[in-house]
Amino acid sequence: MKTINYLNYFFVGTPILLIAFGIAVDESSGNILGSGFLFLILTGLFQLIFGIKMIIDEPDDKNLQYYLKGVCLFFALWLINGFILNSQILYFILFVIPIILAMFFSTITYNKAHT
């Protein structure tokens, strides 16, 4: 579990460092900044895959159940808003949900690695 925790640090920390470095350098092409934003996709994919793996190993863990319910809620709202509602306020909410889910998954992996 400590390995997953360290991998999570890498996948969460790398986009933060790339985005901060891209803003600090202020390069005109935006390659570093764009790479940081694209790395966020890998972060979400890593957390989703290991969240599913962890819930398969421990199906009774309430925190993992809440995490996967949050992921399902995010994708359901995303599809409903994209195809049916098209609400701008809901797009702002959809922007915040992955950040909250990433922090929640990080606390789950931290707690599991240190208990």
Side-chain angles (χ1 to χ4, degrees), residues 2 4 9 13 23 28 46-47 54 62 65 67 86 93 96 98 108-109:
K2 287 191 179 197
I4 294 174
Y9 287 155
I23 290 171
S28 61
F46 165 79
Q47 289 187 344
M54 289 166 62
K62 292 291 183 192
Q65 290 174 359
Y67 171 74
N86 200 15
I93 294 170
V96 176
I108 291 171
T109 57

Side-chain angles (χ1 to χ4, degrees), residues 26-42:
D26 193 32
E27 68 173 336
S28 61
S29 64
N31 288 338
I32 298 172
L33 191 64
S35 297
F37 284 119
L38 286 175
F39 204 88
L40 288 172
I41 297 169
L42 293 177

Side-chain angles (χ1 to χ4, degrees), residues 16-98:
I16 293 171
L17 291 175
L18 285 173
I19 291 170
F21 186 69
I23 290 171
V25 171
D26 193 32
E27 68 173 336
S28 61
S29 64
N31 288 338
I32 298 172
L33 191 64
S35 297
F37 284 119
L38 286 175
F39 204 88
L40 288 172
I41 297 169
L42 293 177
T43 302
L45 186 63
F46 165 79
Q47 289 187 344
L48 179 65
I49 289 170
F50 276 98
I52 292 170
K53 181 211 171 289
M54 289 166 62
I55 197 74
I56 289 171
D57 292 342
E58 301 175 40
D60 295 332
D61 189 355
K62 292 291 183 192
N63 287 330
L64 288 172
Q65 290 174 359
Y66 293 142
Y67 171 74
L68 285 179
K69 286 178 186 176
V71 170
C72 291
L73 175 71
F74 169 74
F75 283 110
L77 284 176
W78 186 36
L79 291 172
I80 290 169
N81 196 39
F83 291 119
I84 299 170
L85 298 176
N86 200 15
S87 169
Q88 295 298 321
I89 294 172
L90 198 52
Y91 279 124
F92 287 119
I93 294 170
L94 287 171
F95 180 75
V96 176
I97 290 175

